[in-house]
């Protein structure tokens, strides 16, 4: 069974940086590149929202709220997707989840979530 293992969350000050990583365990390399990968976040009392995606060709997209501050990237050889978060704001505080999806037929995996807290 494929598992997505996240790391890199924690506490940062406003204006600071954090880097999140998500490694796909038990996924063969030839399958890894077929997925679109994304990062979502969910703040307390709010719905989960899409933050950034990167497709199999490396094309990226971002929520307006993080454009110019966050960068999504992937390393096919390491089967890993990362989210570099700069110029962090308190409103970036949330649990961040990585997501792999492809289809048809639909196939989707979620990471366990990692807490990011931005506070002085």
């Amino acid at each position: 069974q494929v598992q997505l293992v996240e790391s890199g969350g924690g506490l940062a000050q406003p204006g600071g940086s954090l880097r999140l990583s998500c490694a796909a365990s038990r996924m063969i390399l030839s399958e890894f590149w077929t997925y679109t990968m994304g990062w979502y976040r969910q703040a307390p009392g709010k719905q989960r929202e899409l933050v950034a995606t990167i497709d199999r060709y490396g094309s990226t997209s971002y929520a307006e709220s993080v454009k110019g501050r966050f960068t999504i990237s992937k390393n096919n050889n390491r089967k890993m997707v990362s989210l570099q978060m700069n110029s962090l704001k308190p409103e970036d505080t949330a649990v961040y989840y990585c997501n792999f999806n492809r289809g048809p037929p639909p196939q989707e995996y979620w990471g366990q979530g990692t807490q990011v807290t931005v506070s002085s």
Side-chain angles (χ1 to χ4, degrees), residues 5-66:
V5 180
E6 301 176 22
S7 60
L11 176 66
Q13 292 190 336
S17 299
L18 285 173
R19 184 177 181 87
L20 306 182
S21 294
C22 175
S25 67
R26 305 192 197 110
M27 179 180 286
I28 60 176
L29 186 58
S30 61
E31 289 191 348
F32 176 83
W33 72 272
T34 68
Y35 284 85
T36 291
M37 300 155 201
W39 287 93
Y40 290 72
R41 67 186 180 186
Q42 188 166 19
K46 294 188 177 181
Q47 289 189 328
R48 189 173 296 189
E49 63 173 352
L50 178 62
V51 175
T53 62
I54 184 166
D55 69 12
R56 57 190 291 176
Y57 305 108
S59 296
T60 60
S61 64
Y62 298 91
E64 283 296 324
S65 60
V66 305

